[in-house]
Amino acid sequence: MDLEFYFKPVDLPKIKLAPWAQKKFSLLSVVEKNHAKLSIEKAEVVIIGIGEDRNSIEKGSADAPDKVREHLYSLNRIDPRFKLLDLGNLVLGQTANDSYFALKDVCEELIQNGKVVIVIGGSQDLTIGLAKAFEDKTFSLVNIDPKFDYQKGSKSITSENYLNLIFEKHPNLFSQTTLGYQNYFTDSLELDHAGGLLSETVRLGLLRYNMIDIEPYLRQANLLSFDLNAVRQIEAPGQYFASPNGLYAEEACQLARYAGLSNSMKIAGFFNLIPNLDPQEIGAKLMAQIIWHFLEGMHSRIDETPPGNEDNFNHFLVELEDIDLPITFYQSRKTGRWWMQITDEQGSFEEIIPCTQEDYELTARNEIPDRWWRNIRKLNRLVK
């Protein structure tokens, strides 16, 4: 595939850095150098912009990609040898659906060649195109969002109900989790329906109570869809939701870093910044910093996949009274992270999923953790 056909390149020399930025230490210096010398085959991370918002309930996010770049490329370069490329902005199709398929083609090609893709939108319904890139493989999706973007019975696709199409068209979707939702924005019937679809939701208060327990959701994910509306409006102007409640800026950056640290994460999309609602560009600056934390997390990745080398993991085999098979837990001796092994009801298919130390401690007390039940149900559905 000739990727250049799909993109309008960014004019990097015309990007105006912040007055405080030193260009030689900026991310722009790395991107400019790589643009001149690094082939796409040797790149590790690829940034693409897509100014598509025709299916958004509020227009204006089409202008976000270049505005975010201005602030992102003023930030620290992380590593002067960072193999990061910016392919530019995806040329839009005649319809929003055409843009979804173009995004799918590009992302599918890139992840098949081992690249991690960062998508700067545009509206969040572009998650449809990102999910299409996983059509031939099982995948897990995490949404960071103030509400559950699903509307039962809705026929047209918008930035508020794109999950309808993803649930309908992707039987290979292993898990979908919405992090940071706020209960007063989501009807209980929709949440009940989400449970029937084996979707999970984590309320903002629970997320804030113990952030470290959220990390396994992101470690398991292959696709991240980040809605800027999940951040409270005072810290992220430039959004149409404009709620006084939401994630703090630091929490948004921490979640992005967790996502970047995940070896499973292939595509991360950042959506719903509306520059014309952001006169002081605080929202654009925050989105840039969120993306920077994803990049910094990715640069800090540690390749550890249990069971792997026995010297790298502690193994714990826990027998329970209520299930026939013992549960195997793995703990990394390097990072302290935990995983558990699950098996479908036929005993023919195994999956190792991220978990927490609390999951292990519950099991050791002869209590089956919720994470085990939820993932067993998903696994049994998938293998049928």
Side-chain angles (χ1 to χ4, degrees), residues 289-302:
Q289 291 173 17
I290 290 168
I291 295 170
W292 187 94
H293 278 85
F294 179 90
L295 288 168
E296 197 269 341
M298 193 200 150
H299 186 67
S300 303
R301 283 182 180 181
I302 296 173

Side-chain angles (χ1 to χ4, degrees), residues 40 102 104 118 127 168 189 191 222 289 297:
I40 194 167
K104 176 256 186 188
I118 293 175
T127 309
E168 178 185 343
L189 290 177
L191 292 179
N222 311 108
Q289 291 173 17

Side-chain angles (χ1 to χ4, degrees), residues 3-4 30-47 81-87 110 113-115:
L3 289 173
E4 293 183 1
V30 174
V31 174
E32 283 187 326
K33 179 186 69 176
N34 290 346
H35 184 75
K37 298 181 179 180
L38 184 69
S39 66
I40 194 167
E41 291 77 19
K42 294 184 178 180
E44 296 175 353
V45 193
V46 174
I47 292 177
R81 296 173 297 278
F82 203 180
K83 295 180 179 179
L84 169 69
L85 278 182
D86 188 333
L87 294 185
L110 290 168
N113 286 285
K115 317 303 176 191

Side-chain angles (χ1 to χ4, degrees), residues 315-318 320 327-331 338-340 355-367 369 371:
H315 294 207
F316 303 91
L317 196 65
V318 184
L320 291 168
I327 301 179
T328 302
F329 287 87
Y330 302 92
Q331 182 194 28
W338 288 80
W339 292 259
M340 72 166 73
C355 67
T356 64
Q357 182 173 338
E358 183 182 6
D359 292 319
Y360 165 71
E361 292 172 350
L362 281 171
T363 309
R365 296 197 299 266
N366 204 44
E367 299 178 40
R371 194 184 308 273

Side-chain angles (χ1 to χ4, degrees), residues 170-367:
H170 292 280
N172 58 324
L173 178 64
F174 180 75
S175 68
Q176 185 279 325
T177 306
T178 300
L179 300 178
Y181 89 96
Q182 298 166 52
N183 216 25
Y184 35 77
F185 294 138
T186 305
D187 190 84
S188 59
L189 290 177
E190 290 182 348
L191 292 179
D192 289 343
H193 190 67
L197 296 167
L198 302 186
S199 179
E200 296 180 54
T201 52
V202 180
R203 286 183 69 169
L204 175 64
L206 183 61
L207 179 152
R208 179 167 291 149
Y209 176 72
N210 195 352
M211 182 76 78
I212 195 67
D213 285 349
I214 304 303
E215 184 270 339
Y217 290 107
L218 292 159
R219 191 170 4 129
Q220 185 176 5
N222 311 108
L223 170 58
L224 171 69
S225 178
F226 196 113
D227 183 351
L228 188 67
N229 292 310
V231 183
R232 59 188 195 141
Q233 193 266 349
I234 197 170
E235 301 200 11
Q239 52 167 285
Y240 59 78
F241 218 66
S243 173
N245 284 312
L247 294 168
Y248 292 102
E250 296 90 342
E251 293 169 335
C253 291
Q254 180 66 69
L255 291 171
R257 188 174 189 277
Y258 282 153
L261 283 167
S262 167
N263 291 300
S264 300
M265 189 66 67
K266 306 300 180 186
I267 306 175
F270 301 88
F271 305 109
N272 286 345
L273 168 70
I274 302 179
N276 63 18
L277 300 178
D278 189 26
Q280 294 181 302
E281 302 185 2
I282 300 298
K285 290 176 182 178
L286 178 58
M287 182 169 276
Q289 291 173 17
I290 290 168
I291 295 170
W292 187 94
H293 278 85
F294 179 90
L295 288 168
E296 197 269 341
M298 193 200 150
H299 186 67
S300 303
R301 283 182 180 181
I302 296 173
D303 187 10
E304 52 179 10
T305 305
N309 188 325
E310 290 191 2
D311 293 336
N312 296 333
F313 294 92
N314 297 316
H315 294 207
F316 303 91
L317 196 65
V318 184
E319 295 188 358
L320 291 168
E321 295 176 359
D322 296 331
I323 59 175
D324 296 332
L325 294 173
I327 301 179
T328 302
F329 287 87
Y330 302 92
Q331 182 194 28
S332 167
R333 293 175 179 172
K334 185 179 294 185
T335 64
R337 296 189 293 185
W338 288 80
W339 292 259
M340 72 166 73
Q341 183 173 296
I342 60 173
T343 307
D344 72 292
E345 58 191 13
Q346 305 300 323
S348 58
F349 193 85
E350 295 180 346
E351 185 81 11
I352 294 176
I353 61 168
C355 67
T356 64
Q357 182 173 338
E358 183 182 6
D359 292 319
Y360 165 71
E361 292 172 350
L362 281 171
T363 309
R365 296 197 299 266
N366 204 44
E367 299 178 40

